[in-house]
Amino acid sequence: MTDIVRNTISSAGPDGVVLFTKSYCRYSKRAKEELRNAGIVPVIMELDQRQDGQEIQTALMEMTGQKTVPSAWVRGQHIGGSDDVHNGIETGLFDGLPK
């Protein structure tokens, strides 16, 4: 499953943003909304809408130590969850990324 995670991150490109989320999760919704409001269009993988979603979430946990969604990645690096997306927007982490 780590190959799926790596391939998804790679598909976003060197300046890409990737969110691994669940469609019903309020924290995932918050991260997606804040990125959208900032003009950032992330690659989104909705884990609850995939047969292998639980396995992907387990792979993400093994890779990052984070058990929850959203799992946010910027420029190929894991930054954390919803609060980290919010803080990244506030501190300019997403500045200069394609919109």
Side-chain angles (χ1 to χ4, degrees):
M1 286 299 130
T2 57
D3 286 345
I4 292 174
V5 172
R6 287 189 185 108
N7 289 340
T8 302
I9 294 165
S10 178
S11 75
D15 290 329
V17 177
V18 177
L19 288 178
F20 295 91
T21 68
K22 292 186 179 174
S23 62
Y24 58 82
C25 171
R26 68 182 174 150
Y27 300 105
S28 294
K29 289 177 183 178
R30 175 184 172 209
K32 289 183 278 191
E33 181 178 345
E34 289 196 9
L35 288 172
R36 184 173 42 253
N37 290 343
I40 303 296
V41 181
V43 172
I44 297 173
M45 181 180 288
E46 299 283 10
L47 300 178
D48 62 309
Q49 296 178 0
R50 295 179 56 105
Q51 292 282 108
D52 57 357
Q54 185 58 52
E55 291 85 5
I56 294 170
Q57 188 167 358
T58 298
L60 285 164
M61 195 251 333
E62 290 170 356
M63 293 171 71
T64 67
Q66 178 181 322
K67 297 179 182 179
T68 59
V69 293
S71 180
W73 298 70
V74 178
R75 297 183 176 106
Q77 300 297 314
H78 181 250
I79 65 161
S82 178
D83 288 342
D84 301 295
V85 169
H86 175 79
N87 292 336
I89 291 169
E90 294 292 314
T91 61
L93 176 66
F94 299 93
D95 292 354
L97 293 178
K99 297 188 178 196

